[in-house]
Amino acid sequence: MNKTIQFVNKLGHVVLKFLKSAGELGLFAFETIHHCVTPPFYGKAFLKQFIEIGFYSLPVVALTTLFAGMVIALQTYSGFSQFSAEGAVAMVVLVAVTRELAPVMAGLMVAGRIGAAMAAEIGTMRVTEQIDALATLSTNPFKYLIVPRVIAGILMLPVLVLIGDVIGICGGYMIGISKLDFNASTYLISTWQYLKPMDIISGLTKASVFGFIITLLGCYNGFHSQGGAQGVGQATTNAVVSSSILILIFNYILTELFFSV
Amino acid sequence: MAFLKKTKSVQKSKIKLVNVKKGFGDKKVLDGVNLDIYEGESVVIIGGSGTGKSVTLKCILGLLNPDEGYIEIDGKKVNALPQKEQEALRSQIGMLFQSGALFDSLNVWENVAFSLLQNQKLNRDKAKEIAIEKLASVGLNKSVAEVYPADLSGGMKKRVGLARAIATNPAVIFFDEPTTGLDPIMSDVINELIVSTVKTLGATALTITHDMSSARKIADRIAMLYEGKIIWVGTVKDLDKTTNPYVRQFVAGNANGPINVEVKAEK
Ligand SMILES: Nc1ncnc2c1ncn2[C@@H]1O[C@H](COP(=O)(O)OP(=O)(O)OP(=O)(O)O)[C@@H](O)[C@H]1O
Ligand SMILES: [Mg+2]
């Protein structure tokens, strides 16, 4: 009996804690958006984040989408050839890469790279009182630290995904002509034929949403970290895990919105 | 000097703390702090480690919200102000954090000139010039200007923090233990710097310190914080004459007396 009560008690605590952090995150998001549209803006901080997210994430995004495109060509070929539908490989690669693989891969990679770094940096600034110091120097921490990161995430992720689209399709193409004996020009022509703006646009929209999720959670966890090095470590883990999960959930929701008929 | 003191007593207060209470979880830290700081005077808060001196400063700055009571700066309640006005109020305050709190992504001169660059939009050459001047006034020479905070000694960080706090010539300055970690000579340089900032700029200063010789040098008035309350306020002269046993014990640095320091683990 006692055990049951204890269990229910624990459960209640967990649920309450979850609701509390969800509410806090909502407020945090709201405040961030508010500061996104009210000056002053710190130009240099923006530039730094654009480069950090857009440029330095290129190698990981390029590598992951390249191999994703390659593997999807191999897999569809081995599956579809059983139904003599090899001709569909180019289309499947195109659709899979632009709609799903490039945005999700890029999202997860950037979550690991950028989300973690943001949580660690802002978390360290929190526990060493640098965020308090910012406020005493009459600089709003939201405007100086968070807004540039979130805006850079929203704008740069689509750019990364667009590049990832091209590289992923190239990966499929390389496998198609080198291993699967497709004719290069037929492969290219059928890719071109099936290219639909909606596939690209949906992928880029997803990328923007993922960019927002990654940067928001990175900043939120860092901003609310406490208790020294261990707290910062915890914040970093939370940022990566929660943004990865949210990316996958929102990926599903957005796919429903775009493609359900 | 005596004349100054007299006019001060009729001056209006710059900062006013009224019944400020603040706790963390179950722990009560501040339990009804009342303190008036007049314009242009230098007040020193003394008190044991962990009694809430830094928390008091953070409450005044609006970085922490008091659970009860209120704080006024220039007659305006800090915590009730909208964000914009709170920022405006803070722009006339300089703060030296106990830990320095230097931005480790910026080098020393950029730290010192932070507010000049971000808020006053000075050009970089001019800002750097001012930063180097301020660094010189805390006994740091030009060569550290380009160094990053991670490569500085503890005492140097403190002094860079001090230079940053005074860089914009603020009307109110808070120093959280400005001389801890400095050698005696450097401590005296900093003491003199604080005295001269208050005198030449007419700034109002609130300093936290454990260093009694420093307190004597810079204070117009000294306040003692004990168990969440200000238990004594007076001038340096009063300090030597007081019969308050808590103050006497603290000033004498005596382990025995009414202030009990637990050095045994509780059963
Ligand atoms: N953010 C916080 N969360 C929880 N407890 C805190 C926080 N800040 C301070 N405290 C607690 O409040 C008490 C007072 O802290 P404070 O830093 O003001 O001490 P202090 O008087 O400045 O001491 P010292 O002279 O050692 O710097 C301490 O017991 C500390 O643990
Ligand atoms: Mg302190």
Side-chain angles (χ1 to χ4, degrees):
Chain A
M1 193 58 205
N2 224 347
K3 278 258 161 69
T4 344
I5 291 176
Q6 258 180 15
F7 176 75
V8 173
N9 197 345
K10 271 251 166 66
L11 195 72
H13 269 294
V14 171
V15 171
L16 278 182
K17 209 174 152 198
F18 175 78
L19 288 177
K20 184 165 167 266
S21 17
E24 274 175 5
L25 181 61
L27 284 178
F28 189 86
F30 185 78
E31 186 153 11
T32 302
I33 292 166
H34 169 76
H35 283 292
C36 281
V37 293
T38 47
F41 301 107
Y42 294 96
K44 256 183 101 182
F46 275 89
L47 192 68
K48 196 171 158 207
Q49 294 307 321
F50 278 117
I51 294 171
E52 187 60 42
I53 300 178
F55 186 70
Y56 289 109
S57 303
L58 262 179
V60 274
V61 171
L63 268 178
T64 43
T65 48
L66 177 71
F67 279 97
M70 282 160 61
V71 84
I72 206 77
L74 267 187
Q75 289 284 22
T76 29
Y77 183 82
S78 73
F80 282 27
S81 59
Q82 292 171 26
F83 308 102
S84 330
E86 299 91 337
V89 168
M91 187 200 76
V92 173
V93 168
L94 177 73
V95 169
V97 167
T98 55
R99 284 189 187 184
E100 295 294 331
L101 290 175
V104 173
M105 286 288 179
L108 294 177
M109 281 296 139
V110 174
R113 228 195 126 246
I114 300 293
M118 283 180 182
E121 187 180 351
I122 295 180
T124 306
M125 290 185 75
R126 165 62 73 201
V127 300
T128 55
E129 298 180 316
Q130 291 179 50
I131 292 183
D132 288 343
L134 265 184
T136 67
L137 294 164
S138 36
T139 302
N140 188 306
F142 269 89
K143 288 206 161 73
Y144 186 74
L145 291 175
I146 294 170
V147 168
R149 286 172 166 78
V150 172
I151 300 262
I154 292 175
L155 295 181
M156 291 323 281
L157 256 258
V159 175
L160 285 171
V161 167
L162 195 62
I163 296 170
D165 283 347
V166 175
I167 293 175
I169 291 168
C170 287
Y173 169 80
M174 270 159 40
I175 293 299
I177 58 168
S178 66
K179 280 198 75 138
L180 310 176
D181 293 330
F182 280 100
N183 176 295
S185 62
T186 354
Y187 190 99
L188 280 182
I189 287 168
S190 66
T191 301
W192 188 246
Q193 245 174 13
Y194 288 110
L195 188 67
K196 281 197 298 264
M198 201 52 196
D199 292 341
I200 311 275
I201 292 170
S202 72
L204 299 188
T205 312
K206 282 180 178 178
S208 251
V209 174
F210 297 166
F212 179 70
I213 292 174
I214 294 164
T215 48
L216 186 78
L217 284 163
C219 293
Y220 170 80
N221 282 293
F223 208 74
H224 290 280
S225 64
Q226 43 188 219
Q230 200 183 4
V232 174
Q234 186 69 47
T236 310
T237 312
N238 288 350
V240 176
V241 172
S242 57
S243 58
S244 301
I245 293 172
L246 278 182
I247 282 173
L248 295 175
I249 294 176
F250 272 86
N251 183 46
Y252 180 81
I253 296 174
L254 290 170
T255 307
E256 277 264 356
L257 285 179
F258 271 107
F259 298 108
S260 70
V261 267
Chain B
M1 203 61 199
F3 163 76
L4 260 181
K5 287 263 159 57
K6 256 186 204 135
T7 53
K8 256 168 205 162
S9 59
V10 294
Q11 261 176 340
K12 63 171 180 158
S13 54
K14 181 84 182 167
I15 301 169
K16 190 179 179 75
L17 285 85
V18 180
N19 193 31
V20 172
K21 296 189 182 179
K22 178 75 192 173
F24 298 98
D26 298 334
K27 187 163 65 186
K28 263 193 196 151
V29 178
L30 301 180
D31 190 21
V33 172
N34 290 291
L35 185 64
D36 270 308
I37 299 161
Y38 303 113
E39 196 152 354
E41 81 168 335
S42 166
V43 171
V44 166
I45 298 182
I46 57 175
S49 196
T51 47
K53 303 182 298 298
S54 299
V55 170
T56 308
L57 279 194
K58 285 182 188 164
C59 285
I60 300 176
L61 280 163
L63 297 173
L64 291 172
N65 274 322
D67 300 332
E68 268 179 64
Y70 62 90
I71 293 151
E72 286 180 0
I73 299 181
D74 289 334
K76 289 185 218 157
K77 282 189 187 161
V78 178
N79 301 94
L81 286 179
Q83 203 165 23
K84 271 264 157 60
E85 282 187 55
Q86 206 172 43
E87 275 168 28
L89 201 61
R90 278 187 195 144
S91 68
Q92 55 155 328
I93 304 178
M95 163 86 183
L96 164 68
F97 283 83
Q98 187 168 2
S99 62
L102 301 176
F103 303 124
D104 41 31
S105 59
L106 302 175
N107 68 27
V108 164
W109 82 260
E110 288 169 328
N111 261 285
V112 175
F114 188 87
S115 202
L116 302 172
L117 289 169
Q118 301 297 345
N119 302 320
Q120 303 186 9
K121 307 283 180 212
L122 246 54
N123 74 40
R124 284 177 73 83
D125 292 336
K126 184 80 191 122
K128 187 171 180 179
E129 208 174 284
I130 296 175
I132 287 175
E133 212 174 278
K134 295 291 175 185
L135 285 169
S137 70
V138 294
L140 290 171
N141 72 31
K142 230 173 152 171
S143 62
V144 298
E146 310 280 346
V147 174
Y148 280 83
D151 300 332
L152 296 177
S153 76
M156 287 163 99
K157 279 183 196 156
K158 193 119 237 177
R159 284 184 280 159
V160 175
L162 195 60
R164 185 175 69 181
I166 60 172
T168 53
N169 300 333
V172 179
I173 318 182
F174 297 150
F175 302 104
D176 198 343
E177 305 196 4
T179 55
T180 9
L182 300 183
D183 62 79
I185 298 169
M186 196 46 78
S187 295
D188 205 51
V189 170
I190 298 301
N191 289 338
E192 262 160 28
L193 176 75
I194 294 175
V195 172
S196 74
T197 349
V198 175
K199 294 275 133 62
T200 59
L201 300 176
T204 308
L206 179 58
T207 310
I208 291 173
T209 187
H210 296 293
D211 174 354
M212 286 315 296
S213 69
S214 164
R216 283 169 199 280
K217 190 144 195 174
I218 62 185
D220 290 328
R221 286 190 304 147
I222 296 178
M224 176 151 171
L225 187 64
Y226 179 68
E227 292 195 334
K229 292 191 174 72
I230 299 286
I231 56 159
W232 186 86
V233 183
T235 62
V236 176
K237 266 194 198 140
D238 299 337
L239 190 71
D240 298 316
K241 286 185 292 194
T242 183
T243 51
N244 186 314
Y246 295 94
V247 180
R248 289 181 65 125
Q249 186 194 347
F250 193 86
V251 172
N254 206 331
N256 302 309
I259 304 175
N260 217 344
V261 181
E262 288 289 339
V263 287
K264 281 191 198 125
E266 280 171 46
K267 287 243 172 88

